[in-house]
Every structure is written in C-alpha cells, then in structure tokens.
Amino acid sequence: MESKHLEIASRFAIRGTVCEIKPLGAGLINDTLLVKTAEADAPDYVMQRVNRNVFPDVEMVMRNIHAVTTHIRQKLEAAGEADIDRKVLTFVAAKENPEQLYAIVDGEYWRVMVFIAGAITKQAVNPASSRAAGEAFGRFQAMLADIPVELGETIKDFHNMEFRLQQLRDVVAADPVGRVKEEKVQQLIAELEARAEYMCKAERMGREGVLPKRVCHCDTKVNNMMFDENDEVLCVIDLDTVMPNFIFSDYGDFLRTGANKVAEDHPEMDAVEFDVEIFKAFTEGYLSSAKSFLTPVEIENLPYAVKLFPYMQSVRFLWDYLSGDKYWKCQYADHNFVRANNQFHLLLSIEQHEAEMEAFIRQQLEA
Ligand code: GN1
Ligand code: MG
C-alpha cells in the first residue's frame, strides 16, 4: 500500500481503519483503487483520481453527481425501496469541507465512494441481462426527468455528431503524424463522409426544436452497471458523463457495445456482427420503463440511434488514430485504427437490420 494513497484516503470522512489499498477494475479513463477497512461493520471504499484531461471541470462533475445521486436516493426512499445503499452510489465528503465530495492532493482531484458489497459487474451481456439493463437505463432517465437543478455539460459537445466530424476533418487537414495517406484510412474516411449528413440529423432536429435534451448517462456500457447475485440490476455507476443530451446517447451507446458479437477492438472484421437478439431484449427493457416519457420523434428515431453510436465511435477512434493516439490507450501501433474499422463494420451489419428493428419497435408499442 502506497503511503501517498493512505494519505489521500485519510482526507475523506470514511468509517473504519484502512488496512489495504489496491487497484480495482480496468477503466481506461480514471485511476481506480479499492480501499479496504479492517472492521467488519465498516464498508470498503472505492477511491478514484479523476482524469482532468478528459474532465477539465471536476467541480462541475461532482456537482452533477451530487445532484443526481441525491435525487435518485429521494425517489427510492419515496418508493419505499429496500437496500437503498446498494441501489445508488454514496460519495464520501472531504473532512476539510463536508459540502465537498472531492479533495485536491498535489493538484490532482480525488474522490471516494462506498464500495457496494456483493455486487458484480459484467463485461458481456446475454438477452436476460440486456433486458434488465434496458429497463434500468430507462428507469435512470425516468427518475431524473424531474431533477430540479440544471446539470452542467461535463464534456462539451461530447455526443455532438457535427462537432465530432469537425474534429475528424480538422485532423485530416492537419495530419500531424502522417497517417492520412494510408490506403485503409482513405477508404474509411470516404465511407464515413458518405454518411456524414444523415448522421447529423439529431443536431438538426435539436435546432428545429423537435428533439429535447434530457438527463442522460452518456456511457451506457454493461460494465457501468452493478448486478446482484440474482442478476438483477442494482444501480448504474460511472456518473461522470451524466449530462443533458438526446436520449439516443443512452439507448444507442449500450447497443454499440452490448450488441456487437465481438469486442470493440476485435481485429477480424468478418467476426463483427450486430446481435439482433440483444437488440430486441434491450429495446424491450428500455421501452418498458421509458415509453411513458418518450416523444413519438424520439421513438421513431431509435433505429437511427443504433446506427449513430458505432458511427460516432468510428469517427472518434479514427480522429485519435490520426492525432497520434493521445486519447485512448493503445496496445499496438494501429490499435485505434482497428477500433475505428471495427465500429464501422458494426454499422454495416446494423444497416442490414433496419426493417427488422423498425418492425420490432412498432410491435413493442402495440403490446
Ligand atoms: C471511453 O472510459 P470508458 O471506457 O467508459 C469514452 C466513451 C467511449 C469509450 C470507447 C469520457 O469510455 O465515450 O465510447 O471509451 N469515454 C469518454 O471505448 O470519452
Ligand atoms: Mg466505465
């Protein structure tokens, strides 16, 4: 256990005596540690250093998280739910200021939350857990529909397709690492550009006033949710990106990871395939908790959202590849290109299933 970590933990109002601190999980953005306490009746904790390259305004992040967890807790209490401490994250105040859910140590921002005992995260989904996840993310949006404060945009233009395309075009023009000339890059750029206008339709609808922004999670991967022993969803975690957005973010980004038959960096493009069973299960769960507040325009565009997120991620990975791999950690030279190409192949597979997706959604609404 590093003494620096112990010192950081001691800045928070945790219960019990810290006896061990060790790395936890495999997040690509923040550094995460498990803080164990000696006493049986004291909880363990999760301690994280927030990545300020990704989240420049940590105060805003923590203000959003405080507002969201407080609101959800109130909803759960009002509904008479049991086991609330496992159904919403509890952040620990800094000793120096009980109003503040972070501490600054050597210029770095740290935070601590209670570790949810007996919960598991999953890396892959099956239809049953997808249905549960769909229902949980829909419920998350529904619970936050009447949050009384306006949340900040913790990453500006995070899921703004026009902005992401502009970033790609800028790096193509500047070509800082000389990768634009590669044949495979040229091909992918042409495919992405051919779809660019269509993919920006959410921003256009937003400007026309026909598409609202709502509080969304914006990183709806299956590994951002905790399940209990019986495969029931306990809660949604990783709340840094919670912000106002089109609901497509939460619906589309889950399917981007959950309904890809292989991982987002799988190198064999023939193996990349859209899993329709996962799509159906997730959509069924999502609509069961979200259809009460979704507008017809939002529902009509769910198949668009399924395409939008692999497309956006392909644009983002290609942007990082052409920038010299500054955003995502890479294990080999063209890792980011493989990711970008994988996401594009997922989009190709999804394009084969449009009519089926539309028919399924229609059927769910009639049911
Ligand atoms: C990042 O850190 P992680 O894996 O939850 C990224 C997502 C991407 C994802 C791609 C803040 O999420 O938007 O979809 O990588 N998060 C941020 O793997 O950029
Ligand atoms: Mg995560």
Side-chain angles (χ1 to χ4, degrees), residues 334-349:
D334 65 349
H335 201 165
N336 267 325
F337 181 81
V338 167
R339 290 168 171 147
N341 205 20
N342 173 307
Q343 295 297 289
F344 174 66
H345 279 78
L346 178 61
L347 172 63
L348 290 179
S349 177

Side-chain angles (χ1 to χ4, degrees), residues 16 43 76 80 92 95 103 125 162 166 174 189 236 257 259 285 287 290 298 308 351:
L76 296 173
V92 181
K95 280 182 186 161
V125 294
E162 289 173 349
Q166 193 55 49
I189 292 174
V236 166
T257 46
L287 286 176
E298 288 173 315
L308 177 61
E351 287 174 347

Side-chain angles (χ1 to χ4, degrees), residues 26-30 54-55 154-155 158-159 164 217-221 223-224 238 240-241 243 253 256-257 264 309 312-313 316-317 319 327-328 339 343:
L28 294 178
I29 304 260
N30 298 320
V54 176
F55 298 103
T154 59
I155 301 177
F158 186 41
H159 283 167
R164 294 302 181 186
H217 182 274
C218 297
D219 191 15
T220 51
K221 282 187 290 216
N223 64 9
N224 279 339
D238 216 347
D240 299 322
T241 51
M243 63 181 119
D253 211 22
R256 180 184 75 76
T257 46
E264 69 182 8
F309 279 82
M312 189 184 302
Q313 199 59 55
R316 292 179 67 196
F317 282 142
W319 158 76
Y327 196 85
W328 283 279
R339 290 168 171 147
Q343 295 297 289

Side-chain angles (χ1 to χ4, degrees), residues 30-326:
N30 298 320
D31 292 340
T32 308
L33 301 158
L34 175 63
V35 177
K36 302 205 78 158
T37 56
E39 296 80 0
D41 63 346
D44 293 332
Y45 295 88
V46 175
M47 186 163 87
Q48 266 183 333
R49 185 177 64 114
V50 184
N51 183 331
R52 290 180 66 208
N53 294 327
V54 176
F55 298 103
D57 190 344
V58 183
E59 281 161 45
M60 179 197 278
V61 168
M62 296 313 294
R63 228 183 303 125
N64 278 1
I65 289 180
H66 180 65
V68 164
T69 53
T70 308
H71 193 73
I72 292 179
R73 182 172 283 274
Q74 283 165 0
K75 288 262 152 123
L76 296 173
E77 281 167 2
E81 288 269 348
D83 210 12
I84 289 178
D85 287 336
R86 295 173 86 206
K87 293 182 181 161
V88 61
L89 292 176
T90 308
F91 283 80
V92 181
K95 280 182 186 161
E96 67 208 46
N97 179 0
E99 300 275 285
Q100 188 180 302
L101 300 182
Y102 60 88
I104 305 172
V105 184
D106 297 335
E108 304 274 17
Y109 283 67
W110 291 84
R111 64 180 172 208
V112 169
M113 66 203 104
V114 176
F115 177 77
I116 300 180
I120 44 173
T121 54
K122 293 175 192 281
Q123 294 305 326
V125 294
N126 57 33
S129 59
S130 293
R131 191 172 296 104
E135 204 269 326
F137 280 123
R139 191 157 21 97
F140 182 81
Q141 289 180 338
M143 282 194 288
L144 294 171
D146 61 348
I147 190 166
V149 292
E150 198 180 323
L151 299 187
E153 199 177 349
T154 59
I155 301 177
K156 195 169 161 9
D157 292 322
F158 186 41
H159 283 167
N160 178 337
M161 194 60 246
E162 289 173 349
F163 170 74
R164 294 302 181 186
L165 272 164
Q166 193 55 49
Q167 271 189 317
L168 176 64
R169 288 169 183 159
D170 288 347
V171 80
V172 168
D175 195 16
V177 286
R179 287 175 167 172
V180 172
K181 60 180 173 304
E182 293 171 18
E183 176 70 29
K184 62 183 191 214
V185 169
Q186 288 293 327
Q187 276 174 12
L188 185 53
I189 292 174
E191 293 280 11
L192 295 173
E193 284 293 353
R195 292 162 176 81
E197 170 149 1
Y198 169 72
M199 291 295 177
C200 292
K201 90 170 178 183
E203 276 71 40
R204 287 195 295 276
M205 289 190 292
R207 277 194 294 273
E208 287 158 13
V210 295
L211 191 63
K213 287 201 171 175
R214 306 179 187 277
V215 176
C216 292
H217 182 274
C218 297
D219 191 15
T220 51
K221 282 187 290 216
V222 72
N223 64 9
N224 279 339
M225 121 179 318
M226 302 282 239
F227 290 81
D228 70 7
E229 309 71 17
N230 308 314
D231 261 6
E232 299 288 340
V233 175
L234 284 167
C235 65
V236 166
I237 59 170
D238 216 347
L239 304 176
D240 299 322
T241 51
V242 172
M243 63 181 119
N245 232 323
F246 303 127
I247 55 97
F248 304 156
S249 291
D250 289 358
Y251 177 74
D253 211 22
F254 180 91
L255 290 170
R256 180 184 75 76
T257 46
N260 188 347
K261 289 196 177 170
V262 293
E264 69 182 8
D265 65 347
H266 188 88
E268 288 159 58
M269 298 307 141
D270 289 347
V272 177
E273 203 188 327
F274 184 57
D275 188 330
V276 179
E277 292 315 305
I278 297 294
F279 159 81
K280 289 183 176 169
F282 182 76
T283 300
E284 194 187 319
Y286 180 71
L287 286 176
S288 75
S289 50
K291 76 176 167 193
S292 61
F293 68 84
L294 294 178
T295 66
V297 172
E298 288 173 315
I299 293 177
E300 207 173 282
N301 282 288
L302 291 176
Y304 157 75
V306 182
K307 292 182 285 183
L308 177 61
F309 279 82
Y311 177 83
M312 189 184 302
Q313 199 59 55
S314 184
V315 168
R316 292 179 67 196
F317 282 142
L318 184 61
W319 158 76
D320 199 32
Y321 179 67
L322 299 179
S323 308
D325 308 319
K326 296 204 176 85

